[in-house]
Amino acid sequence: MKSHARSILDAYNRLLRLCGRRLRVSEPDKAVGLQERRTVVSAGSRSDTNPLEIRVNGPETATFDFDWPAAELFRLRDVWLTGDQGQVFLKDGSLFSPWVLPYNLAKLKISQPLKLGVKKIAGPVFHLTGRNHENRGHFMLQHLPRLMAARDYLKSLPDYRILVAPGHSRWQGRYIAWAGLDPSKLVEGTRGTMQIDDLIFIPNLYGKSSLCPPPFYNELSDCAANYPVPNGPGRPLFITRRDAPDKQLMNEERIVEILRSKIGPVDLIRLGEHSLPDQIGMFRAAPLVMGAIGQGICNVLFCKTTLLVMLAPGTPDNQVYTTSHGAQLARICGNEALTFLSNEPAPSRGDWTFPEERFITLLDRLLEQPEAARIKPAAP
């Protein structure tokens, strides 16, 4: 449901467009109110070839290359932020261009600030909202690394606060605590316009691949070691999407039934029914994590020495979703990973079905591999 503040901001921006008011954009070199600028992340790249993918699916799907740009920390005076994404506007009313990265400005809905009845927040404030902030997977993989990149700088300050979107501080605070940071610093923004006198901002750390520099993921995975794990080895997990609004695997029950017939007991997990500490413990103990591609797969970040198997619609030449991101994330954190493609087309974000015979073929092929030794049933 849209808030009153958001409705008023949207109406104001419609009026601006009717009046022909054009959006002005400022690059950092000409940014009004820029107090400090420093590089916090160096540009880099990673190339990885997945031998398990080669043996099960063939060489055409096995290599993944990605890079990331250098990232800077900006400290800005007297700024305006709009909407729950916290679009950054300078004192002169221009949009601060680094907020856009790595997206195409022409494809974004930008809301210029309405400077009446605004919420004022005293700084210094670190900006931790942005695109896809409401999605736990995106927050964990794309926004937490921004905060981690600013950690040393923030600790050098006498005090600071961390700005998150309205209604999200409770659950995002748990992720911040997991990363070893202080959730008591959180302050919620507004869906309308905010005025901040001292803003600390780091743009998105990822490029076209949507993955941030691997050291951040390694550190987050290591943080999971601080959470308790059940005694003994855990059971294989299948992550359901039956409670998701889209991309549901319609024959999930039958797929799980086949999986159990091949490897024995498998726990069907609905993530919303488990706390973050419980999720970390379950995933870290599991020898196998399987499920349809989606937000839940991002929890492989909690794992070490686990085998991740993602089920996804599409063919190697025409994937509906880019499954290599999940496999790469798993391998960065010390796990093995593989994708089972349905080999059938499916609508983007639509519900879909995985052919049972193909699933059996791919699963049998996987169970022949040494990486699957931990999930094979014990010999009678």
Side-chain angles (χ1 to χ4, degrees), residues 236-272:
L237 305 179
F238 192 98
I239 312 305
T240 182
R241 285 189 59 82
R242 282 305 196 191
D243 54 346
D246 57 16
K247 297 188 291 186
Q248 290 193 23
L249 179 61
M250 299 307 294
N251 63 334
E252 176 185 285
E253 291 80 4
R254 179 59 183 146
I255 293 298
V256 173
E257 182 182 326
I258 294 170
L259 179 62
R260 286 170 173 160
S261 73
K262 296 284 186 178
I263 69 170
V266 174
D267 289 341
L268 185 67
I269 299 298
R270 194 183 302 267
L271 293 179

Side-chain angles (χ1 to χ4, degrees), residues 185-258:
K185 301 288 189 182
L186 293 184
V187 58
E188 292 191 354
T190 175
R191 292 181 173 84
T193 302
M194 292 165 278
Q195 185 178 13
I196 298 178
D197 62 353
D198 185 0
L199 183 74
I200 300 164
F201 177 67
I202 294 178
N204 292 315
L205 303 182
Y206 55 91
K208 293 180 179 179
S209 73
S210 299
L211 290 175
C212 294
F216 293 111
Y217 297 144
N218 278 318
E219 183 178 347
L220 286 171
S221 185
D222 290 341
C223 287
N226 297 322
Y227 286 75
V229 174
N231 293 329
R235 300 222 297 196
L237 305 179
F238 192 98
I239 312 305
T240 182
R241 285 189 59 82
R242 282 305 196 191
D243 54 346
D246 57 16
K247 297 188 291 186
Q248 290 193 23
L249 179 61
M250 299 307 294
N251 63 334
E252 176 185 285
E253 291 80 4
R254 179 59 183 146
I255 293 298
V256 173
E257 182 182 326
I258 294 170

Side-chain angles (χ1 to χ4, degrees), residues 292-309:
I293 190 168
Q295 175 182 307
I297 295 299
C298 298
N299 280 10
V300 73
L301 195 62
F302 305 148
C303 300
K304 292 284 187 185
T305 68
T306 294
L307 172 59
L308 170 69
V309 180

Side-chain angles (χ1 to χ4, degrees), residues 143-211:
H143 291 293
L144 265 185
R146 294 172 49 228
L147 178 58
M148 295 168 71
R151 178 175 44 198
D152 291 343
Y153 183 86
L154 294 175
K155 287 181 177 179
S156 72
L157 302 177
D159 196 16
Y160 64 91
R161 290 195 279 181
I162 301 170
L163 176 72
V164 296
H168 294 283
S169 61
R170 184 175 179 181
W171 72 262
Q172 290 181 351
R174 299 188 189 107
Y175 284 82
I176 287 171
W178 159 54
L181 299 162
D182 186 358
S184 71
K185 301 288 189 182
L186 293 184
V187 58
E188 292 191 354
T190 175
R191 292 181 173 84
T193 302
M194 292 165 278
Q195 185 178 13
I196 298 178
D197 62 353
D198 185 0
L199 183 74
I200 300 164
F201 177 67
I202 294 178
N204 292 315
L205 303 182
Y206 55 91
K208 293 180 179 179
S209 73
S210 299
L211 290 175

Side-chain angles (χ1 to χ4, degrees), residues 33-35 74-79 88 90 96 197-199:
L34 178 63
Q35 302 296 303
F74 300 96
R75 194 161 183 177
L76 301 159
R77 298 290 299 182
D78 299 323
V79 299
V88 180
L90 304 176
F96 188 49
D197 62 353
D198 185 0
L199 183 74

